[in-house]
Amino acid sequence: VCDPVLGDEGKLYVPQDLVSVYQEKVVPVASMLTPNQFEVELLTGLRITSEQDGLKACNTLHSAGPRKVIITSALIEDKLLLIGSYKRTEEQPPEQFKIEIPKIPAYFTGTGDLTTALLLGWSNKYPDNLEKAAELAVSSLQALLRRTVEDYKRAGFDPASSSLEIRLIQSQDEIRNPRVTCNAMKYK
C-alpha cells in the first residue's frame, strides 16, 4: 500500500523532484494507492474538478500499476468524496464507487495516515470487497473525528481555532467495530 505523502491543499510537503520518483518507481509497484486530490493531480497531471475527472485519474493510475486506487478525499462541487476504483483482473474494466463524506468543521492532524491504515486493515479483512472496506474505514474515521471534536468542546476549546490531535486511544471501539454510517455508491 502506498500513501504518496506529497502534499495537500495545493502545497507540496516534499521537493518537486520526488513527484517523478513516485510516478516512475513507486506507483508501478503499489498494489493499492491512496492519494488525496492534490496528490492524484500531481501523479497524473490531471485536474480533478468533477467526479468524471476523478474516475479518469483512477484509470490513469491503474494503467501505471496499482489494482486498487482510492482517492481518499476530493472536494468536488462543494462535496467531500472518497472515490474508489479496483480491477479484479487486468482484462476487466475497473469497478468504481464513491462515498460522500460528511464535512466536520474543524482541522485535524493525521487523518490521511489513519485513513490509509484503516483502508489497509479493512482491505485485509475483506480482500475482495473494497467498497465494504472503504465504508468501514470512512465510518470509523467519522466516528473518531466526531469524538475528537466533542472532547475538545468538553475541555473548553473551540475546535475551529486550531489543528486538533485525533483521539485514537479513546476511539478504539469505533476503530475495531464501526457502525457503517457512510455508504458506497457504485458508478455505472
Side-chain angles (χ1 to χ4, degrees):
V1 174
C2 174
D3 177 4
V5 183
L6 297 170
D8 200 6
E9 297 178 359
K11 294 184 203 117
L12 276 170
Y13 299 153
V14 299
Q16 179 71 41
D17 300 356
L18 276 183
V19 174
S20 63
V21 172
Y22 272 87
Q23 290 168 321
E24 297 164 16
K25 306 268 186 209
V26 179
V27 170
V29 297
S31 58
M32 180 191 290
L33 191 66
T34 61
N36 62 36
Q37 182 174 0
F38 179 65
E39 293 161 342
V40 80
E41 290 175 342
L42 287 171
L43 292 171
T44 63
L46 301 171
R47 185 102 171 89
I48 311 296
T49 59
S50 69
E51 291 180 44
Q52 288 305 317
D53 293 340
L55 297 173
K56 183 177 177 185
C58 288
N59 292 337
T60 299
L61 291 168
H62 284 308
S63 68
R67 285 188 39 225
K68 296 177 182 178
V69 177
I70 300 112
I71 303 173
T72 57
S73 61
L75 189 57
I76 299 173
E77 298 169 5
D78 206 36
K79 289 188 286 189
L80 186 59
L81 301 175
L82 174 146
I83 297 175
S85 183
Y86 59 99
K87 294 186 78 162
R88 292 191 189 278
T89 68
E90 196 56 46
E91 301 77 39
Q92 292 179 309
E95 295 182 37
Q96 298 177 309
F97 64 93
K98 69 178 176 180
I99 298 176
E100 193 164 334
I101 304 169
K103 291 183 196 172
I104 295 175
Y107 184 79
F108 302 92
T109 302
T111 55
D113 297 334
L114 180 58
T115 300
T116 294
L118 291 167
L119 284 165
L120 174 60
W122 290 115
S123 292
N124 281 333
K125 185 164 184 160
Y126 301 103
D128 297 321
N129 194 341
L130 188 60
E131 290 103 333
K132 182 171 186 156
E135 287 175 341
L136 290 163
V138 171
S139 296
S140 289
L141 183 64
Q142 286 292 299
L144 189 148
L145 297 180
R146 284 191 301 272
R147 175 186 291 267
T148 299
V149 167
E150 290 164 11
D151 282 359
Y152 273 85
K153 284 180 179 176
R154 267 195 304 279
F157 289 98
D158 175 7
S161 67
S162 65
S163 179
L164 307 182
E165 201 58 48
I166 53 178
R167 298 293 189 237
L168 281 173
I169 302 303
Q170 299 86 339
S171 303
Q172 290 179 57
D173 290 339
E174 290 88 348
I175 292 169
R176 275 192 225 107
N177 299 302
R179 185 173 62 83
V180 174
T181 57
C182 301
N183 296 298
M185 295 185 312
K186 282 187 185 255
Y187 288 104
K188 304 246 184 248

